[in-house]
Amino acid sequence: LNDNPSHYKITLFGTLKSPKINFDPPFLMLMPVPLDVKTETAINIIPQDYLRQSQIQVELPELELENGDRICPFSVQFPQGRDIVFSSDGTNKELICHISFRSSRPVSFLGNMFFIDEEEN
């Protein structure tokens, strides 16, 4: 600095935490219902280590019927919004998600729904 040949060395240490989401309950089982009757449940989405606001998107599975037709009998709603918000105490607010199923055709399904943030985590 100021033409002084002294060298300064700065060493930095840190921990990078990747954002993640957890679910309560960790898996979902919807009860069998008669055709064209909706079954629904709520789950809590628990975001962790998000340092800026993000929004959750959901990829719902399509089911293939015996005749080859494809249906999407699932739907999701976020009654308080899809935004992951970073609060002043350093935590993220939990989100509530209502997942429902309704089908006019008999189906059984075991699979995944994907919850993805804006950075595709």
Side-chain angles (χ1 to χ4, degrees), residues 9 13-14 19 27 35 42 55 62 80 90:
K9 181 179 179 182
F13 294 98
F27 66 92
L35 294 178
Q55 191 173 76
E62 280 191 346
Q80 299 167 349

Side-chain angles (χ1 to χ4, degrees), residues 35-54:
L35 294 178
D36 232 7
V37 172
K38 181 166 81 170
T39 182
E40 182 177 43
T41 193
I43 62 169
N44 290 321
I45 298 174
I46 307 161
Q48 294 179 324
D49 301 323
Y50 279 84
L51 300 177
R52 61 178 179 260
Q53 185 170 324
S54 189

